[in-house]
Amino acid sequence: MNTKLHFFTRILMGMISLALGAVFTLPLWKIQLEAPQYPEGLSMGIWINRLSGDLNTINGLNHYIGMQEIHAASFAELRLMPYMVGFFIVLGLLTVLLNRRFLLTLWFGLLGGAGAVGIWDFWRWTYDYGHNLNPHAAIKVPGMSYQPPVFGSKTLLNFKAHSFPDPGGWILIGAGLIVFALVVFEWLRKNPQAPHKISAKVLQTVLSFGMVLGLMACSPKTEPLLYTQDSCHYCRMTLMDPKYGAELLTQKGKAFKYDSVECLAHHLQAEPGLKAEIHSLWVIDSEQPGNFLAAEKASYLHSFKLPSPMGGFMTPTRSTETAQLLQKSFPGEVLTWEQALKALNQTAKTGNASHSPEMLSDLEKAKLEANHGDS
């Protein structure tokens, strides 16, 4: 019986093993806390051998409600994980060099087992962290526990807690999924009844997993705008209108949320140095609330008949055609992103746009001129 691996499997397994080295330099997991009093949020990053982020502030807040302080020295896992990842790198390279199918299966089985134990251990820590409270804490809420989510989002008092993989975590998840696909592919190869087309399909799946998860690990992602809960990063007001909103993503993956395009524009103008940190800019599609549009690709209707939350009278749409259709009901000007920025920045200099002749649409200007002529 042929127990050797396909050449493609060996190449991909070698790449995966080497890619695991990046886990030593990237955070594995991120816990983000959002609250009105912390508009920029508080975060904690979990790395392979350390913790990072706003630990001092988080520990200070936790003290008042009786939660334990978080210190890297308290986690034996942070001392073990470098050796575990190193083991999987070595085992992966041995799989390539020795060219044996059972080593591939062993690699996947051990990683899957380690992952399951790791998730359970993480849940166990969050449970103890959120339930084992100091009975003498300054603030006590009867029956209240503060267990953060292992994965996803959860409201804890006036905080919104988010827990998701960071780039290093996505690399580990992606490695496991790709090797699982390789195990299936190798099983199909040795099974004479397996149709050849299925094997080819598995190869395509492997490549797709690699590409998608690689992008997920490297690209910052938008965060949903939580209306009536999130506060605008610029004006500090609560987001209220689901048809409006914007988000700025930094190169490091931090999301700044705004209640309108005008607040995003004014923030960019107020902090010119911020432009060097921008990964991408997003605006809410007014026709499909909840959906983000790339700010540079959206079209904007500037109409004084259609108010936006902070008085900029700027409404984002997905296309010029959509903006022109909206323009029939709300007379105004259809603008590009650059034109919208210029208009909103001018508004910031002159005050309320509705009283600024420089910002009026052609129709409004004509009315003003007619009124001046009559007088």
Side-chain angles (χ1 to χ4, degrees), residues 45-182:
I46 302 174
W47 300 64
I48 193 172
N49 59 355
R50 63 188 177 92
L51 302 175
S52 65
D54 305 300
L55 289 177
N56 290 336
T57 304
I58 293 173
N59 284 334
L61 292 170
N62 289 345
H63 171 75
Y64 290 103
I65 55 177
M67 298 177 74
Q68 306 166 44
E69 290 193 354
I70 303 173
H71 299 289
S74 305
F75 297 90
E77 297 87 343
L78 297 178
R79 296 189 290 274
L80 294 175
M81 279 197 292
Y83 297 102
M84 294 177 63
V85 174
F87 168 78
F88 282 106
I89 292 174
V90 172
L91 182 59
L93 294 176
L94 282 175
T95 301
V96 175
L97 293 174
L98 299 179
N99 194 16
R100 289 294 181 267
R101 189 177 291 135
F102 83 91
L103 289 176
L104 180 72
T105 305
L106 177 65
W107 193 98
F108 172 73
L110 290 176
L111 183 69
V117 171
I119 293 297
W120 172 83
D121 186 57
F122 190 21
W123 176 87
R124 181 191 59 80
W125 172 77
T126 61
Y127 183 88
D128 181 66
Y129 178 66
H131 288 79
N132 186 15
L133 306 176
N134 184 347
H136 304 294
I139 300 175
K140 290 182 285 186
V141 181
M144 183 69 184
S145 62
Y146 305 96
Q147 181 179 3
V150 172
F151 186 91
S153 300
K154 184 178 181 180
T155 300
L156 302 169
L157 294 180
N158 66 326
F159 279 85
K160 187 76 172 182
H162 309 280
S163 177
F164 292 102
D166 241 9
W170 285 118
I171 288 175
L172 287 173
I173 294 170
L177 291 174
I178 293 173
V179 174
F180 170 72
L182 290 176

Side-chain angles (χ1 to χ4, degrees), residues 1-10 98-105 183 185-192:
M1 180 182 294
N2 182 15
T3 61
K4 294 185 177 181
L5 299 169
H6 191 280
F7 177 75
F8 173 82
T9 300
R10 295 177 69 191
L98 299 179
N99 194 16
R100 289 294 181 267
R101 189 177 291 135
F102 83 91
L103 289 176
L104 180 72
T105 305
V183 169
F185 169 67
E186 290 294 332
W187 177 84
L188 291 172
R189 281 186 64 233
K190 76 172 184 177
N191 187 343

